Amino acid sequence: MPTQREYTIGLVGIYHESNTFLSTKTSFQNFQEGHFFMGERIRDEYIHAHHEIGGMVEVLDAHPSITLIPLFFAEATPGGTIESSTAKKLIEDLLQSLRSAGTLDGLMVAVHGAAVAESHSDFDGYWLEEVRQLVGDIPIIGTLDPHANVSQKMVTATDGLIAYQTNPHIDQRETGKRAAGLMVEAIIDKTQFFQKLRQCDLAISIDRQYTAADPCRSLYDYTEELRAIDGVASISVLLGFPYADVQDMGSAFIVVSKKSYGQAKEVGEMLNSYLWSRRRDFAGKFTDVDEAIRKLKGARKPVLLLDMGDNVGGGSPGDGTILLEALEQCDYKSFVCIYDPGSVEQLQHAKPDSVMEISIGAKTDRLHGQTLVRTVTLVKSDDGKFSESAPRHGGQVHYDQGQTAIVRTETDNTIMLTSKRMVPFS
């Protein structure tokens, strides 16, 4: 009997969501302080995580004729535009890891899709092109965050890109498994994929992007109907990322067909027509702070107030004080998380129950309220490290928000002050 062929698959990724409206830039140190791994350290970190890399590892490690080689992965907390020197360094390190791997039969890529560098407004498209040029004509299959602004470069440089289907993102591992399944088809079954991008004629408002309820739920139900068409391998809805002021900003669809580019294009046009005909359902419906506070009266507690303009997960500083200032003037007890390393440092040597005056928040820019001076009581200090065993938005397991101080104001509001920008996932 002929010997079964062995296949070697590489795995790389650069992952960042870039908010171009911020004055601060994302540095190489930000990536090093985020999730920056090489070689087997990638497998160790993600093998049990709810991250797409964990799904890729699970499927490909289980295949008897495939050897998966994790090579390079760098992710920084969403933030400002990536510095030119940082972008250059990241690509150099990624390409060097690929050269050291030798000949590959395929490559898995973990991509966000909304990375912007000073030197390249379409940073994901640029580094994927560089990868394609280096590895040549082998299958390149990857994953995307649905908050991606997808360019034609990204699609041309790859054979198949699959986005998560949930927002909040709790299906990342499953998405990685689906992407790995396409890779198995490509290298074992020699399946050819035909991938088409359909950039939409609109951008879905950020407040209408919750996938478990309408209008998004019906859109995703429709994609499931089209996915059942013979020959359709994958359909991805890209909601878009409005905090990146780039040419390709907006919503989009990616269709991967096993039959033809014509089929992929036709399905993409059907999706765009569906979305366009319902475009008014996806328009923003915003609530200002005063209205939100008024709605607290009689509302079932607890109530979660979200400042979408100061979401660390969207790259913002996380030190906005607009909601805190409003809550300080109410009779409601609240918990607020604010990034403020200066206040944490001021409190780090204090003992619990110490009382002192501190200046809180709004220190990054003038877009997120004004710094509030308050007399606070220190409740406790903590190292800010925590882990999550359940699926969370972002798919990570280990988190570090830096040295943390919990304080209580004179109006009985509790504030968690962190020294690293971090979404309070837990």
Side-chain angles (χ1 to χ4, degrees), residues 218-247:
S218 294
L219 172 61
Y220 279 82
D221 288 344
Y222 182 57
T223 65
E224 283 299 314
E225 293 178 22
L226 298 183
R227 198 173 284 121
I229 296 173
D230 182 48
V232 174
S234 171
I235 299 175
S236 294
V237 179
L238 290 312
L239 302 169
F241 182 63
Y243 303 127
D245 187 14
V246 295
Q247 179 177 334

Side-chain angles (χ1 to χ4, degrees), residues 74-88:
E75 177 185 25
T77 299
T81 302
I82 301 169
E83 295 174 341
S84 294
S85 59
T86 298
K88 181 180 179 182

Side-chain angles (χ1 to χ4, degrees), residues 18 24 82 131 150 153-154 241 272 276 278 419-420 425:
S18 307
T24 53
I82 301 169
V131 166
V150 182
K153 280 186 178 181
M154 297 182 209
F241 182 63
N272 185 67
W276 180 253
R278 293 160 177 79
S419 55
K420 291 183 179 179
F425 285 102

Side-chain angles (χ1 to χ4, degrees), residues 110-262:
V111 191
H112 184 286
V116 181
E118 291 177 311
S119 51
H120 304 282
S121 61
D122 177 16
F123 183 58
D124 291 310
Y126 177 72
W127 74 259
L128 286 170
E129 275 191 337
E130 292 291 298
V131 166
R132 171 60 79 188
Q133 186 174 352
L134 178 62
V135 302
D137 189 23
I138 63 172
I140 299 179
I141 306 290
T143 52
L144 287 170
D145 189 300
H147 292 114
N149 296 320
V150 182
S151 69
Q152 186 58 51
K153 280 186 178 181
M154 297 182 209
V155 171
T156 301
T158 59
D159 295 274
L161 292 172
I162 303 178
Y164 326 143
Q165 297 182 59
T166 60
N167 180 42
H169 312 326
I170 56 174
D171 68 326
Q172 289 177 241
R173 188 178 181 98
E174 290 304 310
T175 304
K177 290 166 67 174
R178 290 198 302 272
L182 289 188
M183 177 60 76
V184 171
E185 286 190 64
I187 64 170
I188 304 295
D189 302 331
K190 308 303 179 187
T191 301
Q192 182 179 359
F193 295 114
F194 304 91
Q195 180 174 228
K196 274 287 186 179
L197 168 67
R198 183 28 161 125
Q199 292 177 317
C200 299
D201 303 322
L202 57 86
I204 297 173
S205 179
I206 194 78
D207 72 309
R208 310 298 282 168
Q209 294 185 3
Y210 178 45
T211 55
D214 278 333
C216 271
R217 182 65 270 158
S218 294
L219 172 61
Y220 279 82
D221 288 344
Y222 182 57
T223 65
E224 283 299 314
E225 293 178 22
L226 298 183
R227 198 173 284 121
I229 296 173
D230 182 48
V232 174
S234 171
I235 299 175
S236 294
V237 179
L238 290 312
L239 302 169
F241 182 63
Y243 303 127
D245 187 14
V246 295
Q247 179 177 334
D248 293 301
M249 192 283 289
S251 303
F253 300 102
I254 296 176
V255 181
V256 181
S257 168
K258 299 179 185 181
K259 283 191 172 181
S260 67
Y261 288 116

